[in-house]
Amino acid sequence: MQWKQVLPVTLGLLLVAAGIALPFAGIADEGPAPTALVSAGIAMLIVTMITTFRYRDEVQADERTKKIGAYGITYSWLFTLVLVFLLFWVDYLDLAALSLQGVLALLGFGMILSARAFQWYLFRKGDVA
Amino acid sequence: MQTRIKEFRAKLGLTQEDLAKRAGVRRETIVFLEKGKYNPSLKLAYRVAHELGTTIDDLFIFEESDLE
């Protein structure tokens, strides 16, 4: 097992262990936190296994994919910045009642989904230029 | 930008997969290089040219409009 696999496998196992341990430790007996942690950990382990076995003999990243990956994250960062300004004005003008948890969830999902969307678009296009 | 990668690759009887493995890139990168949709770094251009037994000048065709 290479370093690229060790990190996500360790993190996945830690997430699963944390999800199982939380109710026993009395930290989060109720609510979605333990389930979310276990689900995230299992998802991480499955994705790592699939990428390890399916793309075993292939180059997983070259200069093109690394470049697209970096640009996708950059565009996502800019998108999130615009989203933050929009949320500010929504709150300032009292257009909607925003909770802290809701805003954080929106920003988190916004960053992840927009990064994947930009990367998907750039991969289809072939290059960032 | 146009390339003669496909032509040189055919002469050597290499598949896109073979060339990708030799150059240390993904097959999709060779696909986009052949279509002229990806501008490679000098290092990758040299590596591909080297694997095809030719030079960068012979492999990649730049026109004035590509430089604008």
Side-chain angles (χ1 to χ4, degrees):
Chain A
M1 195 182 281
Q2 294 179 350
W3 172 246
K4 280 178 185 174
Q5 283 99 41
V6 171
L7 193 66
V9 165
T10 309
L11 198 60
L13 290 173
L14 281 174
L15 285 172
V16 172
I20 294 168
L22 279 183
F24 289 106
I27 298 170
D29 292 338
E30 294 172 7
T35 315
L37 285 173
V38 172
S39 305
I42 289 172
M44 197 171 270
L45 290 172
I46 290 171
V47 169
T48 308
M49 277 198 295
I50 290 171
T51 50
T52 302
F53 291 109
R54 187 175 170 189
Y55 304 109
R56 195 184 311 174
D57 299 326
E58 292 180 28
V59 175
Q60 287 193 11
D62 58 18
E63 65 170 39
R64 187 181 69 88
T65 57
K66 284 176 186 169
K67 192 173 163 190
I68 286 172
Y71 268 81
I73 290 168
T74 305
Y75 291 151
S76 165
W77 189 91
L78 287 170
F79 169 81
T80 311
L81 190 65
V82 172
L83 190 61
V84 167
F85 279 111
L86 280 175
L87 288 172
F88 168 79
W89 283 107
V90 165
D91 184 58
Y92 186 76
L93 299 171
D94 275 334
L95 296 174
L98 300 172
S99 70
L100 180 62
Q101 276 188 1
V103 170
L104 289 175
L106 189 66
L107 291 178
F109 280 112
M111 287 189 91
I112 294 166
L113 293 177
S114 63
R116 295 305 297 169
F118 283 123
Q119 286 170 349
W120 174 81
Y121 169 72
L122 293 170
F123 269 117
R124 274 177 64 89
K125 206 172 152 222
D127 200 358
V128 293
Chain B
M1 180 189 71
Q2 289 182 321
T3 75
R4 295 171 65 198
I5 294 175
K6 195 173 180 180
E7 180 190 327
F8 277 94
R9 187 169 59 73
K11 272 184 196 170
L12 293 173
L14 292 172
T15 64
Q16 290 176 330
E17 188 80 49
D18 295 332
L19 181 58
K21 276 185 184 168
R22 287 185 180 197
V25 295
R26 283 165 59 145
R27 192 184 64 83
E28 290 85 353
T29 300
I30 299 297
V31 172
F32 286 117
L33 274 175
E34 285 188 358
K35 285 181 182 171
K37 285 187 172 181
Y38 177 58
N39 284 325
S41 67
L42 193 56
K43 190 178 170 184
L44 178 59
Y46 174 80
R47 210 185 301 158
V48 172
H50 178 74
E51 291 302 332
L52 293 172
T54 185
T55 60
I56 292 174
D57 263 1
D58 280 340
L59 207 55
F60 297 94
I61 303 151
F62 271 97
E63 290 170 3
E64 285 297 317
S65 58
D66 294 320
L67 301 172
E68 287 170 4

